[in-house]
Structure formats: structure tokens, C-alpha cells
Amino acid sequence: MYETIQVLHSYWAYVVLLILIIATVNAIAKTVGGKEYSAKDFRISLFTLIVSHIQLLIGLILYVVSPRLALFSELGMGDVMKDAVNRLYLVEHPLINIIAVALITIGYSKHKKKLTSGPKLKTIAIFYTIALVLFLSRIPWSAWLN
């Protein structure tokens, strides 16, 4: 079961990154270009919200069924934090990505309350860009690229 969820989590991450990049570039381009917010922009930002939340749920399930989780009781928090790989998988990756999904959620919620195109697109651009940077910073690249 763990391997299946891990593969799903890894492949769904490609979808999340692709959609998040599209949403971010779209919002930045339209903000800089002074273009109007449209129904397409709403759908892109909503789809980004949905796929990122699905990834979060898959990730939380993966975290709970992960054999690595036992390292907390076996090694203790101090030894987990001393090992860069264990720290990445057990602390940094989950925490930073939860924050990134929270930023996507906040950005989406805040943009809906704006009344004009400029502030709507700017809000999406800011929050989604920060989330994208956070996601990219905590991807376990060594495992992902192999």
C-alpha cells in the first residue's frame, strides 16, 4: 500500500507543479500586462486549489503509512533532525508543503473578495508564486529525478 501511495504522490506532484506554474505565470503575465480577469483565470486558480488539496491529502496519507514515521520513536527527534534525509522527509517536506497549500488557499480566498481585475490577479500572483517557490524548495530532488 505504501508504494502505491508513494507513486501516486510522486506523479500527482507533476500535475500540481504544472498547474501551479500555469496559474502563476498566467496571473503574473496578466498583472504586468494590465489585462482583465476572466472566467478562465477563475477556473485556473480554482483547479490549482483543487489539485494542491488532493496532493496534500495523498501526502498526509503517505506520511501516516510511511515506514519512516517510526524513526521518531526509534531515533528520537534530535537524531531525526541531525540526519538531513530524515529531516527532509519527516519534517521539512511536510511542513513547508502544508504552508504552501495554505498560501494557495489564502490567495484563492482573498482574490475572490477583490472587486477589480488588477487586485484579483495580483493576489493570485503573489500567493501562488510564494507557494511555488516553497514547493520547489522542499521537493526531494534526489529521489524524484531517479
Side-chain angles (χ1 to χ4, degrees):
M1 180 170 134
Y2 170 74
E3 291 80 19
T4 304
I5 297 170
Q6 186 179 29
V7 168
L8 179 61
H9 185 67
S10 294
Y11 283 110
W12 195 256
Y14 288 109
V15 174
V16 173
L17 284 177
L18 177 66
I19 301 302
L20 182 56
I21 289 169
I22 290 169
T24 303
V25 169
N26 179 62
I28 291 171
K30 283 196 162 188
T31 299
V32 171
K35 301 214 170 148
E36 290 296 313
Y37 180 82
S38 67
K40 181 187 100 176
D41 303 315
F42 178 78
R43 285 192 291 276
I44 291 171
S45 60
L46 177 60
F47 193 57
T48 305
L49 177 79
I50 292 168
V51 297
S52 66
H53 277 87
I54 291 170
Q55 177 71 344
L56 176 62
L57 290 174
I58 296 168
L60 290 173
I61 293 167
L62 180 64
Y63 191 79
V64 170
V65 300
S66 172
R68 286 185 188 269
L69 194 57
L71 292 175
F72 278 125
S73 58
E74 292 172 15
L75 301 175
M77 186 63 155
D79 286 336
V80 166
M81 294 302 282
K82 288 177 189 172
D83 181 9
V85 173
N86 287 333
R87 185 178 62 240
L88 174 65
Y89 282 104
L90 292 171
V91 180
E92 294 172 355
H93 179 77
L95 180 64
I96 296 300
N97 289 341
I98 288 170
I99 292 169
V101 172
L103 286 171
I104 290 170
T105 306
I106 292 166
Y108 180 80
S109 296
K110 287 177 109 21
H111 107 279
K112 289 192 322 180
K113 295 176 183 169
K114 306 292 181 187
L115 300 176
T116 58
S117 291
K120 280 181 175 287
L121 291 165
K122 187 176 179 183
T123 301
I124 293 280
I126 290 169
F127 280 92
Y128 283 29
T129 300
I130 296 169
L132 178 61
V133 169
L134 289 176
F135 276 138
L136 292 173
S137 75
R138 292 298 110 203
I139 289 174
W141 292 106
S142 59
W144 219 39
L145 297 175
N146 289 334

